[in-house]
Amino acid sequence: MIEVHPPENNDDTNSSTRRRVWSTHWRRGPLHSLSGSFALNYEGSIRRFWIEAFSPLGATHRILDVGTGNGPLPALLCELGSPDMPRVDAVDSADIDPAWLAAAPARCRDALRFHPDTPAERLPFADDTFDLVVSQYGLEYAEPERAIPEVARVLRPSGSVALIVHHAGSRLADVAREEIRLGEWLHAQGQLMATASAIFPYLAIAAQGRGEHLAADPDAGAARDALNAAMRQLDDEAARSPCPDLLFEARDVVGALMQRLLARTITLEQARAAHAAHASALDDAVFRQRELLRHALDADAVAAFSSVLQSSGLSDADVAPLFHEQYLVGWTIRATGPAHGGGAGGNG
């Protein structure tokens, strides 16, 4: 049975913008936040890290996945195909409802429960519930002084914590900085988003067979020249960028809208609405990348993060950089459960 359980009381510590942006992102269907780097689920060293973390556990154990998104870690457990898969509770502060779960094997669906609108700072579980708490590019987005004690509270004394968190010096952080720059560049005066918006009315006129009207209108010619100049600048910018995917995506979306306008398969109003939605999606992408940079941990920050783990009762914290092929992609953090359990005061 597929179960998605919202908490009775939503103590959402994130801003409404943050929740909206991430909820919208996950509803678009990517399995994880690095969908541009991996065709399916995570591979290489990331995958090996999680297989090692999951390997000691069986059907009698419970796992908590914090900041699950669309559930790549539960999906990996399903993919591994163990007949004695552990029970998994997966929480996220966004409004999640992973579509892939409906097609998963029954043993997988029966073992998983997703909890939307559930921040890490207030976990709706009893003390000493889980044998393993995991998080992949998730827990660092929470408030560590509130979220980590919650992790310690719900972890059994014999349990462990396994995390992958963002590294401030990683390839992912470098890409985030570049995509923020490119997103802002696309919105700048004279660049693609503005010039495309200006050309749409003239394309609608051209689609009606009124070319002579356009030929006599100097504003139509100016709009065409501005768009062509913006396209040339986009090609130049893409040639200089180490990760120009955002530029190519914007060019393709705008080009498709222009073609549909000329073919009269959409109206001017529909083209404008689609262009505005694309502009909003660009803004959301920039927001998510700013979030990544704001929460990525440098050496001092990961040491402070480890100190909070220890002050919350977790022990043997082990931190190491994580590389995928030649690229630095994060920190791995492992710790063991509190010596005397999570204490009283659970949420039940």
Side-chain angles (χ1 to χ4, degrees):
M1 178 179 180
I2 301 173
E3 296 182 88
V4 179
H5 298 270
E8 292 184 3
N9 295 300
N10 179 19
D11 184 17
D12 188 0
T13 61
N14 300 306
S15 70
S16 59
T17 299
R18 186 181 188 192
R19 180 182 180 278
R20 177 193 62 77
V21 168
W22 284 105
S23 296
T24 300
H25 177 69
W26 297 125
R27 281 197 296 270
R28 292 192 182 107
L31 180 59
H32 50 74
S33 58
L34 302 184
S35 54
S37 301
F38 300 97
L40 298 172
N41 210 337
Y42 288 108
E43 301 166 1
S45 58
I46 297 177
R47 183 183 181 91
R48 290 192 295 272
F49 176 84
W50 291 120
I51 290 176
E52 180 182 346
F54 295 147
S55 62
L57 305 182
T60 61
H61 299 102
R62 293 188 66 179
I63 296 174
L64 173 64
D65 180 17
V66 178
T68 189
N70 270 340
L73 299 186
L76 175 58
L77 278 164
C78 292
E79 181 187 340
L80 294 175
S82 172
D84 58 346
M85 178 176 166
R87 292 172 57 194
V88 182
D89 288 272
V91 305
D92 201 284
S93 59
D95 183 15
I96 56 165
D97 186 7
W100 63 264
L101 186 59
R107 61 166 181 79
C108 178
R109 297 196 306 272
D110 292 343
L112 297 183
R113 299 177 71 189
F114 283 91
H115 305 259
D117 303 313
T118 304
E121 293 86 352
R122 188 180 178 191
L123 297 173
F125 307 108
D127 298 351
D128 306 337
T129 295
F130 296 99
D131 300 280
L132 174 66
V133 177
V134 299
S135 182
Q136 179 167 270
Y137 304 131
L139 187 58
E140 70 270 36
Y141 285 82
E143 298 177 35
E145 293 79 8
R146 297 177 60 201
I148 292 175
E150 278 288 90
V151 167
R153 178 182 66 77
V154 302
L155 186 66
R156 290 174 179 162
S158 59
S160 60
V161 172
L163 312 172
I164 293 178
V165 300
H166 280 297
H167 192 305
S170 72
R171 169 67 173 171
L172 309 181
D174 289 343
V175 170
R177 293 183 189 95
E178 178 65 359
E179 292 205 342
I180 290 169
R181 186 186 73 80
L182 295 179
E184 293 174 341
W185 184 87
L186 282 166
H187 280 300
Q189 184 68 28
Q191 300 306 335
L192 181 63
M193 299 306 288
T195 57
S197 182
I199 201 72
F200 286 159
Y202 301 110
L203 295 177
I205 293 172
Q208 297 169 4
R210 297 164 58 197
E212 73 286 352
H213 176 84
L214 295 178
D217 186 346
D219 290 339
R224 179 199 60 217
D225 292 345
L227 178 66
N228 289 337
M231 286 293 194
R232 290 192 297 271
Q233 291 179 56
L234 186 148
D235 288 340
D236 291 343
E237 196 66 32
R240 290 191 292 267
S241 175
C243 43
D245 290 357
L246 201 68
L247 297 178
F248 294 145
E249 178 186 341
R251 182 189 63 190
D252 291 347
V253 170
V254 167
L257 288 175
M258 292 169 60
Q259 290 175 0
R260 294 184 67 193
L261 261 176
L262 288 170
R264 302 186 71 174
T265 60
I266 56 173
T267 66
L268 176 58
E269 291 73 21
Q270 289 170 331
R272 283 172 165 163
H275 189 60
H278 178 219
S280 179
L282 278 175
D283 289 339
D284 286 356
V286 168
F287 180 91
R288 292 194 307 273
Q289 299 292 36
R290 290 191 187 281
E291 284 272 283
L292 186 159
L293 293 179
R294 188 159 69 90
H295 295 96
L297 307 179
D298 61 15
D300 290 339
V302 81
F305 192 95
S306 298
S307 295
V308 179
L309 288 172
Q310 294 169 2
S311 65
S312 300
L314 301 171
S315 58
D316 302 322
D318 178 57
V319 178
L322 176 65
F323 290 84
H324 176 72
E325 298 175 347
Q326 72 271 34
Y327 297 114
L328 176 63
V329 295
W331 300 99
T332 61
I333 303 176
R334 301 172 188 262
T336 55
H340 302 291
N347 293 313

